[in-house]
């Protein structure tokens, strides 16, 4: 369903440690924008009754059912976009703006 790269997992664990959120799940939210692209949000949260839970790279991810549908087959990575500027990116085939990375 969702894949987290080792680089993203390391950053998520570091963020949890720095934010004193150890033991909490990573909540990922996704919603459609007016132009049909997808807006993403991430934060540490407790799971709720109707959440979908996924574990990858030793990271527990919780999602609402609607977010789970939008995030199906997504890979989350943590990359250097510019020198010394790192960011999480969502490689999501459900987003009309998605372009697969070149091999």
């Amino acid at each position: 369903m969702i894949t987290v790269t080792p680089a993203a997992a390391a950053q998520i664990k570091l963020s949890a440690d720095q934010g004193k959120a150890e033991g909490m799940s990573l909540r990922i939210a996704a919603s459609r924008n007016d132009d049909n692209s997808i807006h993403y949000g991430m934060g540490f949260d407790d799971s709720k009754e109707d959440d979908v839970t996924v574990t990858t790279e030793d990271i527990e991810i919780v999602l609402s059912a609607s977010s789970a549908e939008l995030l199906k087959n997504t890979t989350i990575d943590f990359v250097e976009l510019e020198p010394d500027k790192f960011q999480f990116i969502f490689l999501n085939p459900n987003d009309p703006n998605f372009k697969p990375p070149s091999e």
Side-chain angles (χ1 to χ4, degrees), residues 37-48:
S37 65
I38 298 177
H39 175 78
Y40 304 96
M42 294 179 14
F44 296 101
D45 195 10
D46 294 318
S47 62
K48 300 186 179 29

Side-chain angles (χ1 to χ4, degrees), residues 1-3 70-76 90-94:
M1 147 153 299
I2 292 180
T3 303
L70 290 173
L71 292 166
K72 187 174 181 182
N73 300 320
T74 295
T75 298
I76 301 169
F90 292 80
L91 303 170
N92 185 349
N94 304 299

Side-chain angles (χ1 to χ4, degrees), residues 24 55 88:
M24 295 185 80
T55 302
F88 286 102

